[in-house]
Amino acid sequence: MRTLSRRGAIGLGAGTLAAAGLTGCADHSTPSEGPKQPSGSGKNRSGSPQPSPTVTARPLGDGSTSFTGKQPHQPAAPRPLEPGQEPPQFVVFSWDGAGEVGNGLFPRFLDLAKEHGAAMTFFLSGLYLLPESKKRLYDPPNNPRGASDIGYLTDDHIKDTLKGLRRAWLEGHEIGTHFNGHFCGEGRGSVGNWTSKQWRDEIDQAKSFVKEWRTNSGWTDLPALPFDYDKELVGGRTPCLLGQDNLLPTARALGWRYDASSPGGRQVWPTKKQGIWDLPLQQIPFPGRGFEVLSMDYNMLANQSINSTKAPSHNYPRWREQAAQAYIQGFKRAFETNRAPFFVGNHFEQWNGGIYMDAVEEAFKHMAREKEKGADVRLVSFRQFVDWLDVQTPQTLAKLRTLEVGQRPAGGWRTFLSAPSKGTGSAA
């Protein structure tokens, strides 16, 4: 398994380049562009006036978070598919770490989503709200107190991250978790070897760093985050896609609705695992190669520049286009056949000159154009997607799961979903 080291210079560990074996998350690259200031619209995506959620804000705990009522910019309540109705094409763009380190990537993709009326999921690393001067407050399972395989952010970058998170939630995005110290590998300290009880401890700490950033930082002049994180947090993605089996019992006990940690998923309709929706990164076509690649920026890099985030720049145009087309072809394969949801994972990074961020933006705009031309393409968060799943009948979901990767429904959607047989029921 190929994973990234987490502190100082970024290096890539040894491992196969076969797509199914690749996972990835990483520390952030060197800052270059200053972050933009967050903006609020006061209107919903259709332009209708929206009351400010801060008007009725009720501080929670030490005032780091607050209850502000129903989240703005949410879609209408989902409805079950009618017999013969074509399912929507769902696309979820998600971000691991979700910290702003001065490179402007958090506001860049918030701006992109806002322009196209989209929602995303931001998997926040709890340590990104903990000042390094207070790092000994973090007691990671099977690791020394204060240890982390990702760097702590500077105070200014924590403040920028708070701005980004506040804006993200107010604009309709989901705030999930990427946990804390990002311990990978095979040793005792790896998240892959944590028990369910240790996962609970890690989650409790991640939540505390969000709910108590004001106490931990001493900053009293910044606005509270506008959500109750105990209620907001309904899913996450583990570091390097490790440890899901022991995480799931804890996730279920906490009332989580999904987990996005499975490696090597396929473009088919999802199922539940231990009572939790299992929403993996997916294997998608990799143009010009004889294998598929996992739908994440790191995996594109690992199959292009191997062990370098600063490869020779003459490769960048070709690699950028290859990465963009991988996402686009993955989307098209689902959109034109089985309509399986499409999941994309990324980091706010500038590897190889930022080509993967450009590739994601190009692919995102391609998908948004299909929506704007009238297709039922929905750029949503994971939580919004499982809202839709949860109102579908077991028979409909079971029928959708019979479609393989790239398989069109026999006779078209009107025939395929016209009258699900009683024998196709399932417990979802």
Side-chain angles (χ1 to χ4, degrees), residues 115-241:
E115 179 182 355
H116 295 282
M120 299 179 176
T121 292
F122 296 95
F123 290 125
L124 173 65
S125 294
L127 288 189
Y128 285 170
L129 298 188
L130 181 68
E132 188 164 12
S133 62
K134 297 294 183 69
K135 69 180 184 179
R136 288 189 61 79
L137 292 175
Y138 178 42
D139 188 13
N142 299 340
N143 286 277
R145 182 177 287 274
S148 173
D149 278 0
I150 54 173
Y152 289 84
L153 302 190
T154 67
D155 286 359
D156 284 345
H157 292 158
I158 294 174
K159 293 177 182 180
D160 290 337
T161 297
L162 286 165
K163 291 177 183 178
L165 293 170
R166 188 172 194 278
R167 177 184 168 189
W169 192 87
L170 291 174
E171 292 183 357
H173 304 284
E174 176 190 8
I175 311 300
T177 187
H178 199 44
F179 306 93
N180 294 308
H182 210 289
F183 301 103
C184 297
E186 299 178 357
R188 179 172 174 268
S190 169
V191 300
N193 295 318
W194 288 358
T195 66
S196 295
K197 183 177 180 180
Q198 288 172 327
W199 275 114
R200 177 59 186 261
D201 185 46
E202 177 80 350
I203 294 167
D204 287 346
Q205 292 188 76
K207 290 167 69 173
S208 75
F209 299 144
V210 176
K211 294 160 58 177
E212 298 171 10
W213 64 261
R214 194 182 296 274
T215 295
N216 294 334
S217 67
W219 303 327
T220 59
D221 57 341
L222 301 179
L225 292 172
F227 52 82
D228 181 342
Y229 202 41
D230 286 325
K231 296 179 179 178
E232 172 70 12
L233 184 54
V234 296
R237 179 178 288 137
T238 64
C240 299
L241 310 182

